[in-house]
Amino acid sequence: MLEPHAIETYIDKPVTEVYRFLASPWNYPRWAAINAATFRQIGPLEWAGDTEFGPRIVRFSPPNGEGILDHAVYKAGEEPVMMPLRVTADGNRTLVTFVFYRRPGMDDEQLASALEWIRTDFTALKSLLEV
């Protein structure tokens, strides 16, 4: 069983606006730690690009009306682990919740680094959308 780590943030925008932004893979490099110049579509729901940790594939969930934005970020040859990403309405603002699963063999330092990258991504997302 993989060890889960939940990260949350509130965004002062309606859930429909936040979902619409996050559901477009083209917006992913605008808030996530991936090089926009290298980000390209390689399959119906798969994209690839370079990160600080090397090349990665991003597999997105299909668009839906439920606020589900699950995705996996992984190296070629690895088994993708879909990470839950949800947007939930809270009045006129949106709760964004992400669950990161610690991969087998990931030590405490690597886990702490991954969680810090995700928090940084959420800070960028919040700043971008709350303009």
Side-chain angles (χ1 to χ4, degrees):
M1 179 186 227
L2 300 175
E3 177 186 332
H5 296 268
I7 299 171
E8 299 178 333
T9 193
Y10 278 97
I11 296 178
D12 289 326
K13 292 288 181 179
V15 70
T16 54
E17 188 176 328
V18 175
Y19 178 84
R20 188 173 36 253
F21 180 84
L22 289 172
S24 171
W26 288 109
N27 287 328
Y28 192 73
R30 295 179 65 193
W31 64 275
I34 197 159
N35 182 331
T38 66
F39 198 60
R40 66 204 180 283
Q41 190 168 10
I42 59 171
L45 295 172
E46 287 189 324
W47 296 66
D50 295 334
T51 72
E52 293 290 324
F53 307 104
R56 294 292 187 267
I57 297 169
V58 183
R59 180 178 292 170
F60 295 95
S61 60
N64 60 79
E66 305 300 320
I68 299 169
L69 297 153
D70 299 354
H71 65 283
V73 180
Y74 60 99
K75 295 181 204 176
E78 281 185 348
E79 183 66 28
V81 175
M82 292 302 280
M83 306 284 182
L85 177 63
R86 303 288 192 272
V87 292
T88 308
D90 184 4
N92 289 329
R93 64 185 187 161
T94 301
L95 174 62
V96 181
T97 305
F98 179 74
V99 178
F100 178 81
Y101 290 104
R102 183 181 196 154
R103 288 193 157 277
M106 182 179 266
D107 66 29
D108 290 344
E109 185 176 317
Q110 292 168 319
L111 174 63
S113 177
L115 295 175
E116 185 57 35
W117 276 103
I118 295 163
R119 287 185 192 99
T120 299
D121 289 347
F122 269 29
T123 299
L125 176 65
K126 186 174 176 66
S127 295
L128 185 64
L129 290 179
E130 289 185 350
V131 179

